[in-house]
Coordinates of all heavy atoms in Angstrom, one line a residue:
G1 N -37.3 144.6 -4.6 CA -36.9 143.3 -4.3 C -38.0 142.3 -4.2 O -37.9 141.1 -4.4
F2 N -39.2 142.9 -3.8 CA -40.4 142.1 -3.7 C -40.9 141.7 -5.1 O -40.9 142.5 -6.0 CB -41.5 142.9 -3.0 CG -42.9 142.3 -3.0 CD1 -43.2 141.4 -2.0 CD2 -43.8 142.6 -4.0 CE1 -44.5 140.8 -2.0 CE2 -45.1 142.0 -3.9 CZ -45.4 141.1 -2.9
N3 N -41.2 140.4 -5.2 CA -41.7 139.9 -6.5 C -43.1 139.3 -6.2 O -43.2 138.3 -5.4 CB -40.8 138.8 -7.1 CG -41.3 138.3 -8.4 OD1 -42.2 137.4 -8.4 ND2 -40.7 138.7 -9.5
H4 N -44.1 139.8 -6.8 CA -45.5 139.4 -6.5 C -45.6 137.9 -6.6 O -46.2 137.2 -5.8 CB -46.5 140.1 -7.3 CG -47.9 139.6 -7.2 ND1 -48.7 140.0 -6.2 CD2 -48.6 138.7 -7.9 CE1 -49.9 139.4 -6.3 NE2 -49.8 138.6 -7.3
F5 N -45.1 137.3 -7.7 CA -45.4 135.9 -8.0 C -44.5 135.0 -7.1 O -45.0 133.9 -6.8 CB -45.1 135.7 -9.5 CG -46.1 136.5 -10.4 CD1 -45.6 137.6 -11.0 CD2 -47.4 136.1 -10.5 CE1 -46.5 138.4 -11.8 CE2 -48.3 136.9 -11.2 CZ -47.8 138.0 -11.9
T6 N -43.4 135.4 -6.7 CA -42.6 134.6 -5.7 C -43.4 134.6 -4.4 O -43.4 133.6 -3.7 CB -41.2 135.2 -5.5 OG1 -40.5 135.2 -6.7 CG2 -40.4 134.5 -4.4
F7 N -43.9 135.8 -4.0 CA -44.7 135.9 -2.8 C -45.9 134.9 -2.8 O -46.1 134.2 -1.9 CB -45.2 137.3 -2.6 CG -46.2 137.5 -1.5 CD1 -45.9 137.5 -0.2 CD2 -47.6 137.6 -1.9 CE1 -46.8 137.7 0.8 CE2 -48.5 137.8 -0.9 CZ -48.2 137.8 0.4
V8 N -46.6 134.9 -3.9 CA -47.8 134.0 -4.0 C -47.3 132.6 -4.0 O -48.0 131.7 -3.3 CB -48.5 134.3 -5.4 CG1 -49.5 133.2 -5.7 CG2 -49.2 135.7 -5.3
K9 N -46.2 132.2 -4.6 CA -45.7 130.8 -4.6 C -45.4 130.4 -3.2 O -45.8 129.3 -2.7 CB -44.5 130.7 -5.5 CG -43.9 129.3 -5.5 CD -42.6 129.3 -6.3 CE -41.9 127.9 -6.2 NZ -40.6 127.9 -7.0
N10 N -44.7 131.2 -2.4 CA -44.4 130.9 -1.0 C -45.6 130.9 -0.1 O -45.7 130.1 0.8 CB -43.3 131.9 -0.5 CG -41.9 131.7 -1.2 OD1 -41.7 130.6 -1.7 ND2 -41.1 132.7 -1.1
M11 N -46.6 131.8 -0.4 CA -47.8 131.8 0.4 C -48.5 130.5 0.2 O -49.1 129.9 1.2 CB -48.7 132.9 0.0 CG -48.4 134.2 0.8 SD -48.4 134.0 2.6 CE -50.0 133.3 2.9
E12 N -48.6 129.9 -1.0 CA -49.3 128.7 -1.3 C -48.6 127.5 -0.5 O -49.3 126.7 0.0 CB -49.3 128.4 -2.8 CG -50.1 129.4 -3.6 CD -51.6 129.4 -3.2 OE1 -52.1 128.4 -2.9 OE2 -52.1 130.5 -3.3
E13 N -47.3 127.5 -0.4 CA -46.6 126.5 0.4 C -46.9 126.7 1.9 O -47.2 125.7 2.6 CB -45.1 126.6 0.2 CG -44.3 125.5 0.9 CD -44.7 124.1 0.5 OE1 -45.2 123.9 -0.6 OE2 -44.5 123.1 1.3
I14 N -46.9 127.9 2.4 CA -47.2 128.2 3.8 C -48.6 127.7 4.1 O -48.9 127.1 5.2 CB -47.0 129.7 4.1 CG1 -45.6 130.1 4.0 CG2 -47.6 130.0 5.5 CD1 -44.7 129.4 5.0
L15 N -49.6 127.9 3.2 CA -50.9 127.5 3.4 C -51.1 126.0 3.6 O -52.1 125.6 4.3 CB -51.8 128.0 2.3 CG -52.3 129.4 2.3 CD1 -53.1 129.7 1.0 CD2 -53.2 129.7 3.4
N16 N -50.2 125.2 3.1 CA -50.2 123.8 3.3 C -49.9 123.4 4.7 O -50.2 122.2 5.1 CB -49.2 123.1 2.3 CG -49.6 123.2 0.9 OD1 -50.8 123.3 0.6 ND2 -48.7 123.2 0.0
H17 N -49.3 124.3 5.5 CA -48.8 123.9 6.8 C -49.3 124.8 8.0 O -49.4 124.3 9.1 CB -47.3 123.9 6.9 CG -46.6 123.1 5.8 ND1 -46.4 121.7 6.0 CD2 -46.1 123.4 4.6 CE1 -45.8 121.2 4.9 NE2 -45.7 122.2 4.1
A18 N -49.7 126.0 7.6 CA -50.0 127.0 8.7 C -51.4 127.5 8.6 O -52.0 127.4 7.5 CB -49.0 128.2 8.6
T19 N -51.8 128.1 9.7 CA -53.2 128.7 9.8 C -53.1 130.2 9.9 O -52.3 130.7 10.7 CB -53.9 128.1 11.0 OG1 -53.9 126.7 11.0 CG2 -55.3 128.6 11.1
P20 N -54.0 130.9 9.1 CA -54.0 132.4 9.3 C -54.7 132.8 10.6 O -55.9 132.4 10.8 CB -54.7 132.9 8.1 CG -55.6 131.7 7.7 CD -54.9 130.5 8.1
L21 N -54.0 133.5 11.4 CA -54.6 133.9 12.7 C -54.2 135.3 13.1 O -53.3 135.9 12.4 CB -54.2 132.9 13.8 CG -54.7 131.5 13.7 CD1 -54.0 130.6 14.7 CD2 -56.2 131.4 14.0
T22 N -54.8 135.9 14.1 CA -54.4 137.2 14.5 C -53.1 137.2 15.2 O -52.7 136.1 15.8 CB -55.4 137.8 15.4 OG1 -55.5 137.1 16.6 CG2 -56.8 137.8 14.8
S23 N -52.3 138.2 15.1 CA -51.0 138.3 15.6 C -51.0 138.2 17.2 O -50.1 137.7 17.8 CB -50.2 139.6 15.2 OG -51.0 140.7 15.7
T24 N -52.1 138.6 17.8 CA -52.2 138.6 19.3 C -52.6 137.3 19.8 O -52.4 137.0 21.0 CB -53.1 139.7 19.7 OG1 -54.4 139.6 19.1 CG2 -52.5 141.1 19.4
S25 N -53.3 136.5 19.0 CA -53.7 135.2 19.6 C -52.6 134.2 19.8 O -52.5 133.5 20.8 CB -54.8 134.6 18.7 OG -54.3 134.3 17.4
F26 N -51.7 134.1 18.8 CA -50.5 133.3 18.9 C -50.7 131.9 19.6 O -50.2 131.7 20.6 CB -49.4 134.1 19.6 CG -48.0 133.6 19.3 CD1 -47.7 132.7 18.4 CD2 -47.0 134.2 20.0 CE1 -46.4 132.3 18.1 CE2 -45.6 133.8 19.7 CZ -45.4 132.9 18.8
P27 N -51.6 131.1 19.1 CA -51.9 129.8 19.7 C -50.8 128.8 19.4 O -49.9 129.0 18.7 CB -53.2 129.4 19.0 CG -53.0 129.9 17.7 CD -52.3 131.2 17.8
D28 N -51.0 127.6 20.0 CA -50.1 126.5 19.7 C -50.2 126.2 18.2 O -51.2 126.3 17.6 CB -50.4 125.3 20.5 CG -50.0 125.4 22.0 OD1 -49.5 126.4 22.4 OD2 -50.2 124.4 22.7
G29 N -49.1 125.8 17.7 CA -49.1 125.4 16.3 C -48.3 126.4 15.4 O -47.7 127.3 15.8
F30 N -48.5 126.2 14.1 CA -47.8 127.0 13.1 C -48.9 127.9 12.5 O -49.8 127.5 11.9 CB -47.2 126.1 12.1 CG -46.4 126.7 11.0 CD1 -45.9 128.0 11.1 CD2 -46.1 126.0 9.8 CE1 -45.2 128.6 10.1 CE2 -45.3 126.6 8.8 CZ -44.9 127.9 9.0
S31 N -48.6 129.2 12.6 CA -49.6 130.2 12.1 C -48.9 131.4 11.5 O -47.7 131.5 11.5 CB -50.5 130.7 13.3 OG -49.8 131.3 14.3
Y32 N -49.7 132.2 10.8 CA -49.1 133.4 10.2 C -50.1 134.6 10.3 O -51.3 134.4 10.4 CB -48.7 133.2 8.8 CG -49.9 132.9 7.8 CD1 -50.5 134.0 7.2 CD2 -50.3 131.6 7.6 CE1 -51.6 133.7 6.3 CE2 -51.4 131.4 6.7 CZ -52.0 132.4 6.1 OH -53.0 132.2 5.2
S33 N -49.6 135.8 10.2 CA -50.4 137.0 10.1 C -49.6 137.9 9.1 O -48.5 137.6 8.7 CB -50.6 137.6 11.4 OG -49.4 138.0 12.0
F34 N -50.2 139.0 8.8 CA -49.6 140.0 7.9 C -49.3 141.3 8.7 O -50.1 141.7 9.5 CB -50.4 140.3 6.7 CG -50.5 139.1 5.8 CD1 -51.6 138.3 5.8 CD2 -49.5 138.7 4.9 CE1 -51.8 137.1 5.0 CE2 -49.6 137.6 4.1 CZ -50.7 136.8 4.1
Q35 N -48.3 142.0 8.2 CA -48.0 143.3 8.7 C -47.9 144.3 7.5 O -47.1 144.1 6.6 CB -46.7 143.4 9.5 CG -46.7 142.7 10.9 CD -45.5 142.9 11.7 OE1 -44.5 143.3 11.2 NE2 -45.6 142.6 13.0
Y36 N -48.7 145.3 7.6 CA -48.8 146.3 6.5 C -48.3 147.6 7.0 O -49.0 148.2 7.9 CB -50.3 146.4 6.0 CG -50.5 147.2 4.7 CD1 -50.8 146.6 3.5 CD2 -50.6 148.6 4.8 CE1 -51.1 147.3 2.4 CE2 -50.9 149.4 3.7 CZ -51.1 148.7 2.5 OH -51.4 149.5 1.3
T37 N -47.2 148.1 6.5 CA -46.7 149.4 6.9 C -47.1 150.4 5.9 O -46.8 150.3 4.7 CB -45.1 149.3 7.0 OG1 -44.7 148.3 7.9 CG2 -44.6 150.6 7.4
T38 N -47.8 151.4 6.4 CA -48.4 152.4 5.6 C -47.5 153.6 5.3 O -46.9 154.2 6.3 CB -49.7 152.9 6.3 OG1 -50.5 151.8 6.6 CG2 -50.5 153.8 5.3
T39 N -47.3 154.0 4.1 CA -46.5 155.1 3.7 C -47.4 156.0 2.7 O -48.5 155.6 2.3 CB -45.2 154.7 3.0 OG1 -45.6 154.1 1.7 CG2 -44.4 153.7 3.9
I40 N -46.8 157.0 2.2 CA -47.5 157.8 1.2 C -47.7 157.1 -0.1 O -48.7 157.4 -0.8 CB -46.7 159.1 0.9 CG1 -45.4 158.8 0.2 CG2 -46.5 160.0 2.2 CD1 -44.6 160.0 -0.3
F41 N -47.0 156.0 -0.3 CA -47.1 155.3 -1.6 C -48.2 154.2 -1.6 O -48.7 153.9 -2.7 CB -45.8 154.6 -1.9 CG -44.6 155.5 -1.8 CD1 -43.6 155.3 -0.8 CD2 -44.4 156.5 -2.7 CE1 -42.5 156.1 -0.7 CE2 -43.3 157.4 -2.6 CZ -42.3 157.2 -1.6
N42 N -48.6 153.7 -0.4 CA -49.6 152.6 -0.4 C -50.8 152.9 0.4 O -51.7 152.1 0.5 CB -48.9 151.3 0.0 CG -48.5 151.4 1.5 OD1 -48.6 152.4 2.2 ND2 -48.1 150.2 2.0
I43 N -50.9 154.1 1.0 CA -52.0 154.4 1.9 C -53.4 154.3 1.1 O -54.4 153.8 1.7 CB -51.9 155.7 2.6 CG1 -53.0 155.9 3.6 CG2 -51.9 156.9 1.6 CD1 -52.9 157.1 4.5
E44 N -53.4 154.7 -0.1 CA -54.7 154.6 -0.8 C -55.0 153.2 -1.4 O -56.0 153.0 -2.0 CB -54.7 155.6 -2.0 CG -53.6 155.5 -2.9 CD -53.4 156.8 -3.7 OE1 -54.2 157.1 -4.6 OE2 -52.4 157.5 -3.5
H45 N -54.0 152.3 -1.2 CA -54.2 150.9 -1.7 C -54.6 149.9 -0.5 O -54.6 148.7 -0.8 CB -53.0 150.4 -2.4 CG -52.7 151.2 -3.6 ND1 -53.5 151.2 -4.8 CD2 -51.7 152.1 -3.9 CE1 -53.0 152.0 -5.7 NE2 -51.9 152.6 -5.2
I46 N -54.7 150.4 0.7 CA -55.0 149.5 1.8 C -56.2 148.6 1.6 O -56.1 147.4 1.8 CB -55.2 150.3 3.1 CG1 -53.9 150.8 3.6 CG2 -55.9 149.5 4.2 CD1 -54.0 151.7 4.9
F47 N -57.3 149.1 1.1 CA -58.5 148.4 0.9 C -58.4 147.4 -0.3 O -59.0 146.3 -0.3 CB -59.7 149.3 0.8 CG -59.8 150.2 2.0 CD1 -59.3 151.5 2.0 CD2 -60.4 149.7 3.2 CE1 -59.4 152.3 3.1 CE2 -60.5 150.5 4.3 CZ -60.0 151.8 4.3
D48 N -57.6 147.8 -1.3 CA -57.3 146.8 -2.4 C -56.5 145.6 -1.8 O -56.8 144.5 -2.3 CB -56.5 147.5 -3.5 CG -57.2 148.6 -4.1 OD1 -58.4 148.6 -4.2 OD2 -56.5 149.6 -4.6

């Protein structure tokens, strides 16, 4: 269901309003972070 290009399009819009920050800092304002769940399918792609 994930579509790479839809993801990129939505990320570009989020970048217009939000700041990338660590999940634990959670400061005032609109921010975002990422969560990467590791499985046998993507463990070797973490660094990519």
Side-chain angles (χ1 to χ4, degrees):
F2 174 83
N3 180 284
H4 174 83
F5 298 103
T6 298
F7 169 78
V8 168
K9 177 183 176 182
N10 289 337
M11 273 306 307
E12 294 300 325
E13 182 62 24
I14 292 297
L15 277 174
N16 292 330
H17 304 277
T19 304
L21 294 169
T22 65
S23 59
T24 53
S25 60
F26 203 4
D28 286 2
F30 184 16
S31 61
Y32 67 87
S33 62
F34 293 99
Q35 291 188 342
Y36 187 103
T37 300
T38 308
T39 67
I40 64 172
F41 309 112
N42 68 351
I43 185 168
E44 56 199 288
H45 297 290
I46 285 178
F47 301 98
D48 297 330

